[in-house]
């Protein structure tokens, strides 16, 4: 199993541009989450999903959209990038009935 | 707002010493978990302790939980240079889902030879 994969590894955007961060898992996990990590802030939850077709907002959802059309994929869309969205983004998944999260390697995003 | 606050923010010890880091949280929880993050990498789960447990061991790791004080500690015994990483506590709140963890701010551990 590849586990949780994220693409791209690194991205530079200009203010106002849009993009999609990809996340996929091949473990048939029902739950998936997106976090952002900023220096000294730990990880903050952006959006999460408890199954295909079901998503909900986390602590810092503004400026981001998600969808979950399949169990495997959970893309994160930045609608109009802002410098405040410069961060490292992590995707994670949890199996049904499980409690621990499996993390992807992260996407480092720089918004100029 | 952040659920967990950890201290110290940074810890530097020599190989063979024990490392203790602490986590405090604000609301009722189902469980508390500790994760490790090597520089530039994703987080890796280390150990989970449920709200009705007081202590748990896994190899060189020992976790305690005091729900009355809303605090937890992680002890790494006989540390090694390879333990150098950031350590985060994360809580699953009562009534929440496994996809919704709240993380602390982390402790950076440096183990020197």
């Amino acid at each position: 199993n590849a586990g949780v994969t994220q693409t791209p590894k690194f991205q530079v955007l200009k203010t106002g541009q849009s993009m999609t961060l990809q996340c996929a898992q091949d473990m048939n996990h029902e739950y998936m989450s997106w976090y952002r990590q900023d220096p000294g802030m730990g990880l903050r939850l952006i959006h999460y999903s408890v199954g295909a077709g079901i998503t909900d907002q986390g602590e810092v959802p503004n400026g981001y959209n998600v969808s979950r059309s399949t169990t495997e994929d959970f893309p994160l869309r930045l609608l109009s990038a802002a410098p405040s969205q410069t961060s490292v983004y992590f995707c994670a998944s949890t199996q049904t009935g499980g409690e621990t999260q499996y993390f992807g390697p992260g996407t480092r995003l720089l918004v100029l | 707002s952040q659920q967990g606050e950890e201290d110290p923010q940074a810890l530097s010890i020599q190989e063979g010493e024990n490392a203790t880091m602490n986590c405090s949280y604000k609301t009722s929880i189902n469980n508390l978990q500790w994760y490790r993050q090597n520089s530039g990498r994703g987080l890796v789960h280390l150990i989970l302790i449920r709200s009705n447990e007081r202590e748990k061991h896994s190899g060189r790791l020992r976790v305690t939980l005091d729900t009355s004080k809303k605090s937890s500690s992680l002890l790494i015994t006989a540390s090694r240079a390879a333990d150098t990483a950031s350590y985060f506590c994360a809580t699953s709140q009562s009534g929440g889902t496994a996809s919704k963890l709240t993380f602390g701010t982390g402790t950076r551990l440096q183990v020197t030879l």
Side-chain angles (χ1 to χ4, degrees):
Chain A
N1 287 348
V4 180
T5 58
Q6 292 184 239
T7 56
K9 283 187 170 55
F10 180 69
Q11 182 73 46
V12 179
L13 289 179
K14 293 181 180 177
T15 297
Q17 287 185 315
S18 62
M19 79 161 293
T20 299
L21 279 63
Q22 301 292 346
C23 173
Q25 52 89 12
D26 61 357
M27 300 174 283
N28 201 33
H29 284 179
E30 205 65 29
Y31 303 145
M32 296 186 75
S33 310
W34 274 104
Y35 296 89
R36 59 178 288 174
Q37 184 177 32
D38 301 297
M41 296 286 292
L43 277 75
R44 291 182 292 169
L45 183 65
I46 305 171
H47 285 284
Y48 64 99
S49 169
V50 298
I54 307 170
T55 64
D56 206 347
Q57 295 180 351
E59 181 186 353
V60 288
N62 291 344
Y64 307 94
N65 271 356
V66 292
S67 59
R68 185 96 181 271
S69 56
T70 67
T71 299
E72 295 78 17
D73 299 299
F74 191 40
L76 178 72
R77 297 183 186 85
L78 278 68
L79 308 173
S80 177
S84 61
Q85 293 179 303
T86 293
S87 188
V88 182
Y89 291 85
F90 289 99
C91 178
S93 70
T94 305
Q95 66 186 54
T96 306
E99 295 170 294
T100 64
Q101 294 194 349
Y102 295 80
F103 281 82
T107 293
R108 189 173 297 272
L109 177 68
L110 175 61
V111 183
L112 302 174
Chain B
S1 61
Q2 291 294 132
Q3 166 76 313
E5 297 294 331
E6 293 175 64
D7 79 274
Q9 288 187 335
L11 179 60
S12 182
I13 60 174
Q14 290 192 319
E15 207 172 42
E17 294 181 334
N18 296 340
T20 299
M21 47 205 89
N22 305 295
C23 167
S24 62
Y25 58 91
K26 296 177 183 174
T27 62
S28 296
I29 61 172
N30 288 327
N31 64 65
L32 185 143
Q33 306 176 34
W34 286 90
Y35 287 80
R36 164 194 170 126
Q37 183 181 35
N38 287 86
S39 181
R41 302 285 190 93
L43 279 72
V44 175
H45 178 260
L46 293 176
I47 192 167
L48 177 151
I49 186 165
R50 292 191 171 79
S51 60
N52 61 353
E53 298 176 313
R54 291 298 167 257
E55 187 171 312
K56 203 159 184 182
H57 296 255
S58 177
R60 294 184 295 112
L61 304 179
R62 172 179 171 257
V63 171
T64 61
L65 179 65
D66 187 335
T67 53
S68 67
K69 295 181 180 177
K70 292 187 169 59
S71 67
S72 173
S73 66
L74 172 68
L75 169 67
I76 304 174
T77 59
S79 62
R80 306 166 181 167
D83 294 329
T84 294
S86 291
Y87 293 81
F88 295 89
C89 67
T91 53
S92 174
Q93 295 182 36
S94 297
T97 77
S99 56
K100 195 177 176 184
L101 293 182
T102 304
F103 283 82
T105 50
T107 293
R108 291 188 314 277
L109 174 65
Q110 175 78 39
V111 181
T112 55
L113 295 172

